[in-house]
Amino acid sequence: MDSFAFIIHPIDPKRDVSRKYPLLGRILNERFINFGSTFFPPLLLSEIEGITSKLTGKVLKGWLIACPLTAARMLELNERIAYHKIIQTGRLAERLGADILGLGAFTSVVGDGGISVADALDIPVTTGDSYTISVAIQAVHKAAALMEIDLASSPAAIVGATGAIGRVCAQLLANKVPELYLIGRDIDKLYSLQTDLQPNSKANLIVSTDLLDLRNAKVILTVSSAVHAIIQPDHLQPGSVICDVARPRDVATSVAAERDDIFVFDGGMVDVPGPVNFNFDFGFPPGKAYACMAETIALAFEGRFEDYTLGKDITRERVDEITQIATKHGFKLSGFRSFERPITQEQIDKIRKKARIRS
Ligand SMILES: NC(=O)c1ccc[n+]([C@@H]2O[C@H](COP(=O)([O-])OP(=O)(O)OC[C@H]3O[C@@H](n4cnc5c(N)ncnc54)[C@H](OP(=O)(O)O)[C@@H]3O)[C@@H](O)[C@H]2O)c1
């Protein structure tokens, strides 16, 4: 039977350690978990059951495995040490017999975006970023429609625009909106991105390192690799839509608590085909997965056991191809969730009404 493995790691250290070790998660503080994660070995979390292609009926074997490093620790450590731990986790996937390995969250962000990890392993590797881009853009379109926002006349913004995912999302949105803010930390990288994208963009591209510029945008896609939330309630205009693809999240929980006139949701969530049981709670309801996991699974359905999305230069061709592969096997954009809770149509209607009063 064809198979895959997918690496996850602690994103919110206390909460995620509690999912596997409830007592440790309760008694250890975040600093200790960050530091201690360096000395923990990779772990087999679960065997995944029931994933079945809608097209072919093919059933796959899969495993969730954990790289113990937290996001903060991966950024603090020397890249080689982080790679070493991710490669050790990949070796576990090899021993289990996986035919392909997906890199979740920061295991695909750190350093060269999976290239060194793939070079060291004997099985093919993908970051899942191509399908993440596709699903994020689909979600932005759907959310804008639900909020009655016409993309063709609404300014938009990408936070983390110079990153692997942000760059292609910017390229795709730049043909849909009249004005696109490219937001990041490094102004030189932002100008260079603007120069690359402007010739083929309908939108006027504006670069900024100031998150207050988000107040000019009606639609926001945020995908930075910040370790803590960066988008606060006062950065946003009433009635805006924010698709938060970043893990850890870019949007502060205070946005949900204080702004009932904003539609903020978790980007990158899809419905998985078949009666799937992940046998591990990674924070999603049953039957749903991150788009990056879905890319790994879709490649296994298709028998495409090859390094697929690697590095920081993702192409639109790969995004289009994986969208077609994933769609035919039955993956689809999931309903909306915000900070672990589903968002209903009724709530979206309320957000729209509040926004109308305040704008
Ligand atoms: N939901 C999903 O299914 C899914 C799948 C894959 C990845 N992800 C998440 O997506 C995010 C981005 O991944 P990536 O591979 O695109 O990472 P990346 O290539 O490292 O890009 C991240 C971008 O964020 C910028 N950035 C970092 N800290 C920032 C800050 N404090 N303020 C503003 N910008 C900041 C970086 O700018 P500099 O150049 O200045 O560093 C860079 O442009 C990560 O959180 C990852 O976990 C989610």
Side-chain angles (χ1 to χ4, degrees):
M1 191 186 282
D2 288 342
S3 63
F4 69 92
F6 191 81
I7 302 184
I8 58 177
H9 70 93
I11 288 178
D12 175 333
K14 273 183 82 66
R15 183 201 63 193
D16 292 343
V17 166
S18 302
R19 293 189 201 277
K20 180 74 185 165
Y21 303 110
L23 183 64
L24 284 185
R26 220 172 28 240
I27 58 178
L28 300 179
N29 66 30
E30 186 168 330
R31 252 182 88 193
F32 188 89
I33 295 171
N34 271 332
F35 180 72
S37 70
T38 326
F39 308 102
F40 242 76
L43 274 183
L44 170 62
L45 293 173
S46 70
E47 187 165 330
I48 304 164
E49 298 167 311
I51 296 186
T52 312
S53 164
K54 196 181 95 183
L55 179 74
T56 61
K58 182 173 172 179
V59 178
L60 297 171
K61 204 169 188 176
W63 296 274
L64 281 179
I65 53 179
C67 170
L69 298 176
T70 62
R73 198 69 185 132
M74 272 191 243
L75 291 189
E76 283 160 13
L77 285 171
N78 176 298
E79 265 168 25
R80 281 172 194 281
I81 300 176
Y83 290 157
H84 179 70
K85 193 67 102 181
I86 301 166
I87 292 163
Q88 271 187 322
T89 316
R91 294 265 176 246
L92 171 59
E94 289 178 345
R95 286 196 298 278
L96 288 164
D99 294 307
I100 187 166
L101 174 68
L103 303 179
F106 267 56
T107 64
S108 71
V109 171
V110 70
D112 57 17
I115 294 175
S116 298
V117 172
D119 283 348
L121 290 172
D122 297 325
I123 51 173
V125 174
T126 193
T127 60
D129 286 355
S130 298
Y131 194 47
T132 298
I133 291 164
S134 167
V135 170
I137 294 292
Q138 290 175 48
V140 162
H141 279 267
K142 190 164 176 195
L146 290 172
M147 286 287 285
E148 296 176 357
I149 293 172
D150 173 26
L151 282 180
S153 60
S154 305
I158 309 267
V159 181
T162 54
I165 298 173
R167 186 184 183 85
V168 185
C169 289
Q171 215 181 336
L172 294 169
L173 268 189
N175 282 319
K176 304 286 176 201
V177 296
E179 209 165 61
L180 182 64
Y181 287 80
L182 307 173
I183 299 185
R185 292 187 298 190
D186 182 326
I187 197 70
D188 293 329
K189 279 195 208 167
L190 287 164
Y191 277 128
S192 155
L193 176 67
Q194 184 192 38
T195 307
D196 288 351
L197 298 190
Q198 192 65 79
N200 296 311
S201 301
K202 278 194 204 147
N204 179 29
L205 302 179
I206 302 154
V207 300
S208 172
T209 55
D210 185 355
L211 286 164
L212 281 172
D213 272 321
L214 291 177
R215 283 189 194 162
N216 300 317
K218 202 80 193 160
V219 174
I220 298 163
L221 194 159
T222 184
V223 63
S224 93
S225 53
V227 174
H228 296 291
I230 52 176
I231 299 180
Q232 304 298 334
D234 63 340
H235 289 141
L236 305 162
Q237 65 163 285
S240 46
V241 162
I242 315 177
C243 173
D244 191 349
V245 181
R247 292 295 175 278
R249 289 189 177 93
D250 280 344
V251 180
T253 45
S254 51
V255 171
E258 294 170 27
R259 295 294 301 266
D260 55 5
D261 56 355
I262 304 275
F263 180 13
V264 53
F265 64 94
D266 298 335
M269 191 169 76
V270 293
D271 291 340
V272 177
V276 55
N277 187 347
F278 284 95
N279 287 313
F280 182 76
D281 174 13
F282 53 89
F284 278 4
K288 298 183 190 298
Y290 283 108
C292 48
M293 286 179 185
E295 174 169 318
T296 314
I297 302 167
L299 290 170
F301 276 145
E302 194 71 1
R304 293 280 296 268
F305 298 119
E306 62 191 54
D307 291 338
Y308 194 78
T309 312
L310 283 184
K312 300 284 177 182
D313 290 318
I314 301 167
T315 65
R316 285 179 66 167
E317 289 70 30
R318 281 266 128 134
V319 175
D320 291 343
E321 184 185 52
I322 194 67
T323 305
Q324 191 232 328
I325 294 173
T327 306
K328 78 178 183 193
H329 287 290
F331 291 94
K332 58 177 195 296
L333 179 65
S334 193
F336 292 103
R337 285 176 73 80
S338 186
F339 297 97
E340 326 283 340
R341 295 212 181 106
I343 312 178
T344 61
Q345 180 62 51
E346 201 186 352
Q347 284 168 299
I348 296 170
D349 293 342
K350 274 192 191 150
I351 294 170
R352 243 188 16 244
K353 278 184 197 141
K354 296 267 180 194
R356 252 185 229 134
I357 296 165
R358 286 178 200 153
S359 46

